[in-house]
Amino acid sequence: MIAAPASARPHTRGSLAAQLRQLGVRPGGVVLVHAAMRPLGFLCGGPEAVVLALRDVLGPDGTLVVPTHTPENSDPAGWSNPPVPEDWWPVIRAETPGFDPAVTPSRFMGVLAELVRTWPGARRSDHPQVSFAALGPAAERIVSDHSRVDMLGEGSPLARLYDLDADVLLLGVDHGSNTSLHLAEYRRPAPPRQRCGAAVLTGDGGREWVWWDDVRLDEEDFARLGTDLETTGAVRLGPVGDGTGRLMRQRAAVDFAVDWLARNRRTEES
């Protein structure tokens, strides 16, 4: 085992809860969390301590939400990190298991998101690429009826979070991981679009590959967008564990992003 640095200290469920309260997490509120554990330092109980601390602060009336995306369930023709040979594409489309919200693990979302997904009582949306899981009294309202088309737009959990005046909490990550900013992409005029595909379950217990048209998502400039958002004072920064927490009202972030994208990105018509 690698020894902890002399200046480090262990963080507990209680100490994390105190930091989250100080940051401004609202009792009874709804919070969408994006998290990386390593920057938070030594956690007594690991990601479980973070989930418990969040639930302690939110209380019984609060709802915790996480992204449980499955980006590998997508058209292999668009893969670049790494790409796969073209003669593999038909096999992948034919054999990838259909997305099952109860079974399919999330990918690249972090251990905290996976922990919430599997937590007793958690609910998960059924989108084959960009599902969300939620834990708390507003969970069903947030994750139900997740539209396959315009997957992070008005028929998505992101829009339900906007309706609920939810918060976004970034733990140990920056705005490059702020999925809510994608909702602003859908609220632009004439955003570029692309063909998407994924494997889904069928009503008879089988699976099939489906196609749909959707907005071409692009988070490459989200870190810069987030830096500009922070200059407005809309984001509260504070310590969580050894790392930095960023807390914001989702509505404020999305509304700012709509204007920012209008100034900084071109549309297909411009």
Side-chain angles (χ1 to χ4, degrees), residues 2-261:
I2 299 174
S7 60
R9 58 189 175 89
H11 303 284
T12 67
R13 172 181 178 175
S15 67
L16 292 166
Q19 290 177 316
L20 292 166
R21 290 190 186 96
Q22 182 66 30
L23 187 61
V25 175
R26 295 181 283 168
V30 178
V31 61
L32 171 61
V33 179
H34 301 273
M37 293 295 97
R38 187 180 297 274
L40 305 188
F42 185 89
L43 308 174
C44 295
E48 183 181 1
V50 180
V51 174
L52 291 170
L54 283 162
R55 300 198 75 196
D56 288 343
V57 177
L58 290 168
D61 297 326
T63 300
L64 173 61
V65 187
V66 293
T68 52
H69 301 177
T70 49
E72 80 286 357
N73 187 7
S74 61
D75 182 19
W79 294 359
S80 59
N81 189 29
V84 294
E86 186 171 351
D87 61 349
W88 291 18
W89 300 352
V91 178
I92 292 170
R93 293 172 185 145
E95 298 296 336
T96 296
F99 174 79
D100 183 342
V103 173
T104 307
S106 63
R107 290 290 303 277
F108 314 118
M109 298 294 105
V111 294
L112 185 135
E114 266 295 276
L115 182 60
V116 173
R117 180 187 74 80
T118 59
W119 201 275
R123 305 289 294 173
R124 189 185 191 185
S125 68
D126 62 359
H127 196 281
Q129 286 183 9
V130 291
S131 64
F132 291 80
L135 186 61
E140 188 62 30
R141 176 178 175 183
I142 292 165
V143 304
S144 63
D145 301 319
H146 189 167
S147 174
R148 184 180 301 164
V149 178
D150 291 341
M151 56 190 176
L152 294 178
E154 303 309 324
S156 77
L158 292 181
R160 303 294 76 76
L161 292 168
Y162 188 96
D163 295 340
L164 290 167
D165 191 22
D167 291 324
V168 174
L169 175 62
L170 307 178
L171 293 177
V173 298
D174 64 18
H175 295 274
S177 299
N178 192 346
T179 304
S180 291
L181 301 180
H182 285 302
L183 181 58
E185 295 186 291
Y186 286 83
R187 296 183 173 181
R188 300 174 60 216
R193 301 185 74 86
Q194 65 180 1
R195 190 187 193 207
C196 298
V200 301
L201 295 178
T202 58
D204 60 3
R207 52 83 65 199
E208 65 178 343
W209 187 267
V210 296
W211 297 99
W212 70 95
D213 180 68
D214 216 310
V215 167
R216 183 182 300 124
L217 302 176
D218 180 7
E219 63 276 359
E220 288 188 4
D221 55 3
F222 280 5
R224 184 162 59 94
L225 191 166
T227 297
D228 290 347
L229 173 64
E230 291 184 7
T231 65
T232 71
V235 182
R236 296 188 63 171
L237 279 73
V240 177
D242 289 342
T244 298
R246 290 175 166 84
L247 183 72
M248 69 213 79
R249 293 287 181 94
Q250 194 224 36
R251 286 181 182 175
V254 171
D255 292 348
F256 178 88
V258 170
D259 292 338
W260 191 95
L261 293 173

